[in-house]
Amino acid sequence: MAPTIRTQGDTDGCGCLNCRNIETITTHRTVLDTLVWSVRLFRSYPSILGFSAVIILANRLLETESINILPVPAIDIIEFVTAFAFVFLIRAYVATIVAGELTSDRVTARKGLSHTVARIPAFGITILLVILLVMSTAAASAPLFGLLLVFPGNPIEIVGFPAVAGVGALVALGPPLLLLFKFWFALEACVVGHYGPVDSLRISWRITTNYRAKILLLVLIALGSGVTFYLPSYVLQIGSDLGLLSSLVNMIAASIGELLSVVWASAYAHIYVQQVITE
């Protein structure tokens, strides 16, 4: 079995670092230290790169015309499976590997994969709960945008369209995005902590409350790196005579960006462990 890392209050027996075989340095790593540690993890576990490469290659094939030889239902199924594997399965697998590395209980590729597959029902329900809560919040927040239209006068003429659009987006999208942020570590809690769906949401809420500044910094770094890798392809698309070069750059940028997101998955798992072992 892969190691289970929970809060001290939820741990059977002694929950100190020594008894859980976790080094003290784990609690002291900064965001940048965590990212460097995550990159080094790739060298120790080639299976992470291997599984990621297979899914990334599938994504690139789905973007080519050759996939059109298959019937539409088959394409839809492949796209769903590939997206689920990349967004959730890889992240769950990486979290399992991180848990083993931080507890000096090395998880083999076979053990990590079997553990990930075994936890699919639990984190699948967790993901559905998050989606339902976010969508419900978005549906409840969207009508608030209409309040701008019933204000005396014309808000667009008074303060301008950019201001009205910005306020409307903040009112309509702010609550669901905040909720998505609060539940960001639910998957790690489910996979690494073996928590149930509801408890996973509870643990994630606590982590994003106590580690808000650190997590926001990680999000900003992730967004900045995404812009860095995707910007060249959009710049080249401006020139219509550079179609082939633009497509090539776009494929490379997308692949690197997706591979880099696996680093973020490792960082998320590390931050989860950092937080729960100190509670």
Side-chain angles (χ1 to χ4, degrees):
M1 290 291 294
T4 300
I5 304 178
R6 294 187 166 195
T7 63
Q8 292 185 8
D10 295 332
T11 301
D12 295 332
C14 181
C16 71
L17 298 184
N18 289 334
C19 291
R20 293 204 266 185
N21 203 23
I22 298 176
E23 296 182 356
T24 305
I25 190 175
T26 301
T27 64
H28 298 318
R29 288 193 179 100
T30 64
V31 170
L32 294 179
D33 291 336
T34 300
L35 292 175
V36 172
W37 180 89
S38 298
V39 172
R40 292 174 179 171
L41 187 71
F42 280 28
R43 294 186 297 180
S44 302
Y45 293 88
S47 61
I48 297 177
L49 287 175
F51 292 149
S52 301
V54 170
I55 299 176
I56 291 173
L57 178 60
N59 285 337
R60 299 291 79 78
L61 291 176
L62 287 172
E63 296 170 358
T64 63
E65 296 294 335
S66 59
I67 194 66
N68 293 330
I69 62 175
L70 299 176
V72 174
I75 296 177
D76 292 339
I77 293 175
I78 294 174
E79 288 179 344
F80 173 80
V81 172
T82 302
F84 182 81
F86 183 76
V87 176
F88 301 114
L89 289 185
I90 283 293
R91 182 169 168 177
Y93 176 77
V94 170
T96 303
I97 297 297
V98 169
E101 186 70 10
L102 293 178
T103 56
S104 300
D105 184 10
R106 187 180 180 89
V107 177
T108 63
R110 181 177 180 179
K111 183 190 295 185
L113 189 58
S114 62
H115 175 75
T116 300
V117 173
R119 294 300 295 170
I120 286 179
F123 73 71
I125 296 175
T126 304
I127 293 166
L128 287 177
L129 283 178
V130 173
I131 293 174
L132 289 175
L133 289 171
V134 171
M135 291 181 63
S136 298
T137 305
S141 302
L144 296 177
F145 182 77
L147 294 177
L148 295 175
L149 303 178
V150 300
F151 282 177
N154 189 334
I156 296 179
E157 293 180 355
I158 297 174
V159 298
F161 176 77
V164 173
V167 172
L170 181 63
V171 170
L173 300 179
L177 289 178
L178 177 61
L179 201 61
L180 183 62
F181 171 78
K182 298 299 293 183
F183 294 145
W184 192 252
F185 292 93
L187 188 146
E188 282 73 23
C190 183
V191 174
V192 179
H194 283 208
Y195 287 102
V198 175
D199 284 335
S200 295
L201 301 183
R202 173 178 59 83
I203 294 296
S204 178
W205 190 282
R206 286 165 55 180
I207 291 176
T208 50
T209 299
N210 299 336
Y211 258 27
R212 184 167 50 248
K214 191 170 189 177
I215 297 169
L216 284 175
L217 177 59
L218 183 62
V219 170
L220 290 176
I221 295 175
L223 291 175
S225 66
V227 172
T228 301
F229 284 110
Y230 285 101
L231 185 60
S233 63
Y234 289 114
V235 172
L236 285 176
Q237 286 176 0
I238 296 176
S240 58
D241 57 336
L242 298 176
L244 181 60
L245 179 60
S246 177
S247 298
L248 179 61
V249 172
N250 186 54
M251 291 179 60
I252 295 175
S255 299
I256 295 176
E258 290 173 353
L259 186 60
L260 196 59
S261 68
V262 183
V263 178
W264 308 140
S266 176
Y268 300 147
H270 192 291
I271 290 178
Y272 163 81
V273 174
Q274 275 185 323
Q275 181 61 16
V276 297
I277 63 178
T278 56
E279 293 188 348

